[in-house]
């Protein structure tokens, strides 16, 4: 049914379904926005030494090239998702892409550390709008079960593969051109996204909310930002430092105030806590918290192992992630078919079990390992599991989401993944650094490898815990209802509480 169909246009309760060509463009727009967001999380990592040398970063300040993006991105994700529902998806997409493009240019032209950190914070602001929005427009456009599952599968595959590709792209651009191109590369991506958005993204009354809960937005932004900041400081300086403890205290107080406000005072709550009565929603958010902890930390320590233990160059380290990227894509492509046959619970728990097995194999690497006898097999096993579980979990969270809550559900999933990643890095940085580094070079290399191994064992535990949660709690959905069919009450979570 196309947009010009009179029967749907006259019924205010039903929005016309976009034609097939436009739905394809909408999916492409969502994928372009998402790949840019995930690329910018990982693409700068291999360029950090060049950035430090060129701009004169102090050792203690260089981490804020990454942290500025992470902090703003994580802190504003919930607000970004709801803001898009308030102003409309088309306007929000143009705004997010434009801000991302402008701040990327500013960062690429930066002449001082402060300019670059500010530009990275601006990218985080744009990312906090685009990440939930990219998934929300899919949820609104693809309304029947099979088509939504396929579209979410493509989106999740792009999201999962984008991080691995970011490491490779960062190495290529830094070695062949300049570190500045890890930021300039966003400009052509933004231009493509703007054209696609102009051709395809529309607003409907189903995607709009009447008012934005400003007190709730302020409280949740402060709470999540303080939590992420505390985790960053804990990972860098220790869990007992004043900065970390103060941040956690602020997060706890403002988080409690936010919950009280949403439950008792907000007339149009930013987060309708009734959505968590749907088993699919709370299980998906809990599982993605562990997935974020395992995958973000896993990428980080795998990159460190390649460069610090195997002494790979940035370009070679990036190329070493190609098998990981291939496994992620393969797992993502298989996920939809396997879910249709065996159900979400089986596919999700199986993918997480494979992720745990891959991380255990990573943990067995030592200072004598090579790419072929140490890094390759765990890359393929873990990445296939990541592809399976990321697609299945995203589908689980979004299967029965109402269009007017698309931004909320998307923001929750993205925020849980981001908080999980920050939590995982904070914990595992402490685990990897345990013990006193020996003086001799050979012993120091073994010490590094042992520390990274301990970190991988903890990531395996994260995946194993998530597998147990998925296997015992996730609904075993094989197919979601088509438009017009009655959905299970448990999946919908229609309570207004």
């Amino acid at each position: 049914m196309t947009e010009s169909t009179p029967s749907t246009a006259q019924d205010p309760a039903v929005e016309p379904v976009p034609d097939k060509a436009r739905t394809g463009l909408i999916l492409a727009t969502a994928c372009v926005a998402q790949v840019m967001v995930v690329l910018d999380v990982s693409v700068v990592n291999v360029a950090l030494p060049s950035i430090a040398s060129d701009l004169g970063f102090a050792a203690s300040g260089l981490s804020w090239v990454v942290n500025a993006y992470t902090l703003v991105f994580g802190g504003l994700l919930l607000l970004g998702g709801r803001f898009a529902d308030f102003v409309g998806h088309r306007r929000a997409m143009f705004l997010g892409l434009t801000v991302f493009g402008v701040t990327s240019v500013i960062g690429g032209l930066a002449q001082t550390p402060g300019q670059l950190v500010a530009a990275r914070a601006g990218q985080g602001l744009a990312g906090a709008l685009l990440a939930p929005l990219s998934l929300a427009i899919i949820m609104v456009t693809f309304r029947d079960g099979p088509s939504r599952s396929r579209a979410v599968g493509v989106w999740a595959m792009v999201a999962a593969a984008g991080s691995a590709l970011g490491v490779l792209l960062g190495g290529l651009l830094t070695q062949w051109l300049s570190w500045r191109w890890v930021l300039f590369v966003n400009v052509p991506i933004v231009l493509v996204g703007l054209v696609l958005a102009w051709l395809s993204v529309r607003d409907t009354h189903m995607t709009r909310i009447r008012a934005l809960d400003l007190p709730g937005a302020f409280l949740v932004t402060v709470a999540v930002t303080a939590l992420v900041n505390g985790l960053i400081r804990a990972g860098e300086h220790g869990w007992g430092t004043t900065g970390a403890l103060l941040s956690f205290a602020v997060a706890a107080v403002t988080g409690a105030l936010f919950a009280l406000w949403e439950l008792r005072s907000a007339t149009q709550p930013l987060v309708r806590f009734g959505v968590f009565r749907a088993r699919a929603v709370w299980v998906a958010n809990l599982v993605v918290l562990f997935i974020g902890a395992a995958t973000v930390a896993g990428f980080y320590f795998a990159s460190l192992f390649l460069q610090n233990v195997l002494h790979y160059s940035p370009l070679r380290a990036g190329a070493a992630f190609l098998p990981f990227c291939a496994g992620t894509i393969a797992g993502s492509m298989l996920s939809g078919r396997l879910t249709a046959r065996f159900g979400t619970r089986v596919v999700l728990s199986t993918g997480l079990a494979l992720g745990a097995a891959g991380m255990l194999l990573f943990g067995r690497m030592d200072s004598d390992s090579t790419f072929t006898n140490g890094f390759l097999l765990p890359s393929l096993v873990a990445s296939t599991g990541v592809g399976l579980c990321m697609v299945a979990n995203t589908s689980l969270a979004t299967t029965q989401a109402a269009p007017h809550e698309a931004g909320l559900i998307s923001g929750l999933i993205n925020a849980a993944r981001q908080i999980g990643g920050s939590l995982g890095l904070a914990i595992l940085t402490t685990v990897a650094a345990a013990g006193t580094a020996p003086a001799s070079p050979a012993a120091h290399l073994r010490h590094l490898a042992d520390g990274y191994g301990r970190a991988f064992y903890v990531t395996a535990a994260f995946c194993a815990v998530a597998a147990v949660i998925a296997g015992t709690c996730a609904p075993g959905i094989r197919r979601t209802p088509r438009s017009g069919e009655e959905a299970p009450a448990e999946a919908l979570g229609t309570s207004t509480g």
Side-chain angles (χ1 to χ4, degrees):
M1 189 177 295
T2 64
E3 290 185 331
S4 59
T5 305
S7 60
T8 58
Q10 294 170 359
D11 184 356
V14 180
E15 293 290 347
V17 179
D19 58 62
K20 187 174 182 180
R22 190 157 75 81
T23 58
L25 290 175
I26 290 171
L27 179 58
T29 305
C31 289
V32 166
Q34 181 64 11
V35 78
M36 186 168 60
V37 171
V38 297
L39 275 176
D40 270 71
V41 175
S42 61
V43 74
V44 302
N45 286 335
V46 293
L48 289 177
S50 298
I51 292 172
S53 175
D54 193 20
L55 295 185
F57 267 93
S60 60
L62 184 61
S63 63
W64 282 97
V65 176
V66 176
N67 291 343
Y69 183 93
T70 302
L71 187 63
V72 177
F73 178 68
L76 295 176
L77 271 168
L78 281 176
L79 176 58
R82 222 47 178 151
F83 179 78
D85 288 339
F86 176 63
V87 303
H89 292 174
R90 179 179 173 87
R91 186 179 301 173
M93 181 64 74
F94 281 124
L95 178 62
L97 288 170
T98 301
V99 172
F100 215 116
V102 170
T103 53
S104 295
V105 172
I106 293 173
L109 296 175
Q111 300 300 311
T112 67
Q115 291 173 358
L116 180 58
V117 169
R120 290 286 290 166
Q123 287 182 315
L125 172 64
L129 180 57
L130 290 175
L133 175 60
S134 66
L135 183 56
I137 62 173
I138 290 176
M139 293 161 61
V140 169
T141 303
F142 299 89
R143 298 175 206 163
D144 68 81
S147 66
R148 179 181 283 188
S149 295
R150 286 192 296 270
V152 168
V154 172
W155 179 92
M157 179 179 68
V158 167
S163 294
L165 287 174
V167 178
L168 173 61
L169 184 61
L172 288 170
L173 293 173
T174 302
Q175 189 155 325
W176 289 353
L177 295 172
S178 160
W179 68 264
R180 297 180 183 276
W181 281 93
V182 303
L183 297 162
F184 289 147
V185 72
N186 291 319
V187 175
I189 301 176
V190 164
L191 293 176
V192 170
L194 285 171
V195 172
L196 289 172
W198 181 75
L199 291 172
S200 62
V201 179
R202 302 287 185 271
D203 287 326
T204 71
H205 79 265
M206 296 175 69
T207 68
R208 301 295 289 270
I209 56 176
R210 294 187 298 275
L212 190 63
D213 175 18
L214 293 178
F218 171 77
L219 289 169
V220 76
T221 299
V222 173
V224 177
T225 302
L227 176 59
V228 174
N229 183 61
L231 293 170
I232 290 171
R233 290 183 178 275
E236 290 183 345
H237 307 296
W239 292 84
T241 58
T242 302
L245 293 175
L246 182 60
S247 293
F248 290 143
V250 171
V253 171
T254 53
L257 290 174
F258 169 72
L260 288 173
W261 170 262
E262 296 297 288
L263 290 170
R264 297 185 178 183
S265 302
T267 54
Q268 293 257 330
L270 187 74
V271 175
R272 184 179 67 83
F273 286 101
V275 299
F276 290 108
R277 295 182 183 177
R279 186 154 54 113
V281 174
W282 70 258
V283 169
N285 276 275
L286 185 57
V287 166
V288 84
L289 185 79
F290 284 99
I291 293 174
T295 55
V296 171
F299 267 114
Y300 178 77
F301 286 103
S303 179
L304 289 181
F305 183 89
L306 289 169
Q307 296 186 67
N308 294 342
V309 177
L310 300 187
H311 303 297
Y312 278 21
S313 67
L315 178 58
R316 193 177 178 191
F321 277 95
L322 284 175
F324 197 101
C325 183
T328 302
I329 293 173
S332 300
M333 293 176 68
L334 288 170
S335 184
R337 295 179 182 179
L338 293 176
T339 300
R341 182 171 182 179
F342 299 107
T344 305
R345 181 191 298 121
V346 172
V347 175
L348 185 54
S349 55
T350 300
L352 289 164
L354 282 174
M359 292 301 175
L360 283 174
L361 291 172
F362 271 128
R364 292 175 59 85
M365 296 188 301
D366 56 33
S367 57
D368 295 321
S369 297
T370 65
F371 175 78
T372 53
N373 73 10
F375 195 84
L376 180 58
L377 179 60
S379 293
L380 293 172
V381 174
S383 61
T384 303
V386 167
L388 284 172
C389 67
M390 286 292 288
V391 173
N393 196 64
T394 306
S395 297
L396 176 64
T398 60
T399 293
Q400 305 294 344
H404 69 279
E405 291 188 326
L408 169 61
I409 299 296
S410 304
L412 288 170
I413 286 290
N414 279 280
R417 184 186 297 119
Q418 179 62 36
I419 292 170
S422 298
L423 178 62
L425 274 178
I427 293 172
L428 295 176
T429 300
T430 305
V431 170
T436 302
S440 68
H444 178 69
L445 203 62
R446 288 194 297 272
H447 175 76
L448 281 177
D450 289 344
Y452 299 153
R454 290 192 299 271
F456 283 123
Y457 287 141
V458 177
T459 63
F462 288 154
C463 290
V465 170
V468 172
I469 295 171
T472 56
C473 300
I477 300 170
R478 281 191 173 84
R479 178 182 73 83
T480 51
R482 294 179 180 273
S483 298
E485 295 181 359
E486 184 177 353
E490 175 190 61
L492 288 170
T494 53
S495 166
T496 58

